[in-house]
Amino acid sequence: MSRASDTAYEKIRNFILYGEAHPGMQLTEERLSEISGVSRTPVRDAVQRLENEMLLVRSASKRLSVADWSDDEIDEMFTLRAMLESHAAERAAQRMDGDSLVRLREINEILTEAVNRPKPDIGTFLDANRQFHDLILACAQSPRLSKLLPALVEQPVVRRTANHYSQEDLVQSGLDHDELIAAFTARDQVWAGAVMTSHIRRAFHSFSSASARTVED
């Protein structure tokens, strides 16, 4: 894969996940070239990768658009994520070293501080949350999980963002992380897996409630 294709992939992906894109938004190669700052040939390579990740979809008429997930698809994504992340947590509990535990605590302190502000810092929350889960995945030492999980973790962001989560939801996420750290410290894989499953299912229900509030707004 060329450097230009990688650049196009990263910039388009960030536009979809964190930028101005919205579900169902139609995109052309010309527009994607403007977004990524590269020519249409590497854009086509990037688009193919993003279609494989199901972040972009094509209609029967070959029109390209940002994926718009049904409630059933979102439910399935979170279900799969819970299964895979709980497995990652179980593996990590057996393999995590002291330095990684220290780093997890540091990351969660940043997250907790961000969500306990009078106005929660959503950007810092999202970044710290990603770092926290990425580190657990790295400690799981599973190349297969490393390939499967990232798309499931970020796909729902296409539809709604944490900007619509309640402060209670955000604070609870940090508390869940505290319990995960306790399970890792105890090297208890059963505990770690159970907490992660609960954490992801709680995230699903928070996500569903946030989506409902957004629709009402």
Side-chain angles (χ1 to χ4, degrees):
M1 195 68 65
S2 70
R3 182 173 298 179
S5 295
D6 288 338
T7 297
Y9 169 78
E10 291 295 336
K11 290 188 175 181
I12 296 169
R13 191 171 187 274
N14 285 336
F15 173 77
I16 293 169
L17 292 173
Y18 311 113
E20 301 171 3
H22 56 80
M25 179 180 183
Q26 291 195 357
L27 296 168
T28 63
E29 288 184 358
E30 291 83 358
R31 175 68 176 124
L32 294 177
S33 291
E34 293 174 5
I35 291 168
S36 60
V38 301
S39 67
R40 291 172 65 177
T41 298
V43 162
R44 291 190 190 104
D45 290 335
V47 165
Q48 185 173 7
R49 292 171 68 181
L50 292 164
E51 285 186 86
N52 290 339
E53 292 181 11
M54 297 183 291
L55 292 174
L56 292 175
V57 295
R58 286 189 187 275
S59 67
S61 59
K62 304 299 182 183
R63 290 183 179 178
L64 193 67
S65 62
V66 177
D68 186 7
W69 304 103
S70 68
D71 291 340
D72 184 62
E73 288 172 321
I74 294 291
D75 191 352
E76 182 184 35
M77 288 174 194
F78 272 97
T79 297
L80 291 171
R81 180 183 169 188
M83 293 168 63
L84 293 174
E85 286 217 65
S86 64
H87 181 56
E90 289 170 2
R91 288 179 60 89
Q94 297 176 304
R95 295 166 173 81
M96 190 170 293
D97 59 21
D99 289 342
S100 295
L101 278 169
V102 169
R103 182 59 184 146
L104 278 182
R105 292 190 183 97
E106 291 173 347
I107 293 169
N108 205 42
E109 286 174 4
I110 293 170
L111 182 150
T112 300
E113 192 277 331
V115 301
N116 279 291
R117 296 177 185 178
K119 182 179 180 181
D121 182 345
I122 301 301
T124 297
F125 166 81
L126 288 171
D127 184 59
N129 189 63
R130 177 186 55 78
Q131 290 184 50
F132 190 91
H133 286 267
D134 283 353
L135 182 52
I136 292 172
L137 182 56
C139 290
Q141 300 176 22
S142 170
R144 293 177 183 84
L145 282 173
S146 295
K147 287 183 179 295
L148 291 170
L149 258 176
L152 286 171
V153 169
E154 293 191 297
Q155 280 172 350
V157 181
V158 177
R159 184 171 174 180
R160 295 289 185 270
T161 74
N163 287 296
H164 300 289
Y165 282 18
S166 70
Q167 188 168 23
E168 182 181 359
D169 292 332
L170 298 172
V171 170
Q172 183 61 53
S173 182
L175 295 175
D176 288 350
H177 289 180
D178 283 335
E179 189 171 1
L180 278 167
I181 291 169
F184 293 140
T185 301
R187 305 187 71 82
D188 189 325
Q189 64 185 97
V190 176
W191 185 12
V195 174
M196 183 63 84
T197 298
S198 174
H199 179 55
I200 301 303
R201 292 311 300 172
R202 193 195 310 277
F204 166 69
H205 288 290
S206 296
F207 181 90
S208 298
S209 297
S211 296
R213 288 195 298 270
T214 303
V215 170
E216 291 172 0
D217 293 342

